[in-house]
Amino acid sequence: SCKEEIERVRQALTFQLTARGRPSVTYGTEVGLRGEKEPENRSDMIFGAHPLAEHVRRWLEVRARHAVLRQGRSRLLAVDDTFLAYARVSEDELAIVALNWGPRERVLPSMDLWQTVHDARDAESGRKVKLSQWPVPRRSVRVAVAALPPRIRAWMAQTAPAREVVFAIRSAPAEAKSVVVAGSQPELGGWDVDAAPAVKIAPGADAAGVAELATRLPAAGLYAYKLAAKDTRGQVTWEAGGNRYLFVRDEPGAARV
């Protein structure tokens, strides 16, 4: 699954050992055992030293030292095709996890809250880091831990505000009477096209730039969605291809998609 790239396996394991939930590692993962399909996926075990075994052991030790990685609440900070960052908070501890599998260095989204964290350290090396200027090198995972400042405790306790999101519909089938944005969350109908936000299409509208659909979605949420078109007979046509994904950042103003 990782195309013979051990660094991708390291990244996946680091995510698994720092995300919420209880990790379960399939035997052989820690020694680089190959095999995606039957019968290779249950081949004989290999015994002996392997870099992945040390990686799993080291991150299990980090997880054991920091309760926030075992029981903390989570909040997404950034999501795109090559970058994922999230915060985890327990009673007295903060953890920030950032995964960058893109071609360039990344940093956390700019937030005044990071200025209140003065004792953040890299969870693996113990070196002090400054979250507001924390570089996450390409193809790497970084985890920082710190004592929990009161402002971040209050921020995590708040319900994320709703933010206006404007979907600019570029095109629709010629027979479409309306276009629906249906998705995974209740605000997008829970994949029910009759409950999802919709916009009417003016008769004779050009194929391009046909409509804009405005709705409000809770910030800091990740939404899977697709467009669907309804014709005059009530027939529904879903757009081709896989789901689209939208992360609504907690920022002022409307987000345009």
Side-chain angles (χ1 to χ4, degrees):
S1 295
C2 289
K3 315 300 181 189
E4 304 294 321
E5 295 182 40
I6 192 171
E7 195 54 42
R8 295 178 71 176
V9 184
R10 290 184 200 272
Q11 291 176 356
L13 285 168
T14 307
F15 167 73
Q16 185 180 17
L17 295 168
T18 58
R20 65 183 177 89
R22 181 169 294 180
S24 176
V25 181
T26 303
Y27 85 92
T29 301
E30 77 283 8
V31 291
L33 195 65
R34 295 188 177 98
E36 183 181 1
K37 297 180 172 61
E38 291 280 355
E40 290 83 8
N41 62 359
R42 51 186 175 83
S43 61
D44 290 347
M45 183 63 179
I46 298 172
F47 295 94
H50 194 281
L52 286 176
E54 177 58 30
H55 184 81
V56 171
R57 182 182 299 109
R58 185 165 61 250
W59 280 101
L60 284 173
E61 290 171 351
V62 171
R63 185 181 178 91
R65 285 198 303 270
H66 299 284
V68 66
L69 296 177
R70 304 190 304 273
Q71 26 184 270
R73 291 177 291 118
S74 303
R75 185 160 177 170
L76 288 170
L77 301 174
V79 183
D80 60 36
D81 288 345
T82 61
F83 189 65
L84 169 65
Y86 53 93
R88 302 200 64 197
V89 167
S90 63
E91 285 299 316
D92 57 2
E93 198 173 22
L94 166 71
I96 303 291
V97 181
L99 302 93
N100 176 16
W101 50 92
R104 58 187 175 86
E105 182 179 280
R106 300 290 293 270
V107 294
L108 295 178
S110 178
M111 291 177 62
D112 291 340
L113 287 172
W114 303 143
Q115 305 297 335
T116 68
V117 182
H118 304 297
D119 62 343
R121 293 187 178 276
D122 184 281
E124 191 173 14
S125 69
R127 288 192 296 269
K128 195 167 183 178
V129 299
K130 191 174 182 179
L131 293 181
S132 58
Q133 302 171 355
W134 188 36
V136 184
R138 59 186 291 274
R139 296 173 63 85
S140 71
V141 183
R142 291 291 181 269
V143 181
V145 292
L148 180 63
R151 281 190 60 195
I152 291 186
R153 185 195 305 275
W155 172 70
M156 285 289 290
Q158 292 172 352
T159 301
R163 185 180 181 193
E164 184 179 31
V165 179
V166 179
F167 294 89
I169 313 298
R170 293 200 190 101
S171 61
E175 65 276 11
K177 183 180 179 181
S178 64
V179 174
V180 176
V181 177
S184 55
Q185 307 287 36
E187 294 85 0
L188 297 180
W191 294 114
D192 180 353
V193 294
D194 294 322
V199 61
K200 291 184 178 181
I201 302 298
D206 293 336
V210 294
E212 287 194 349
L213 188 158
T215 188
R216 296 187 68 80
L217 298 174
L222 181 63
Y223 303 86
Y225 73 98
K226 293 188 78 168
L227 302 183
K230 281 186 176 182
D231 62 19
T232 55
R233 303 185 306 277
Q235 296 294 314
V236 175
T237 303
W238 290 90
E239 68 170 318
N243 293 340
R244 298 174 183 267
Y245 293 90
L246 170 66
F247 174 65
V248 181
R249 291 185 61 172
D250 188 357
E251 295 177 338
R256 294 188 62 84
V257 182

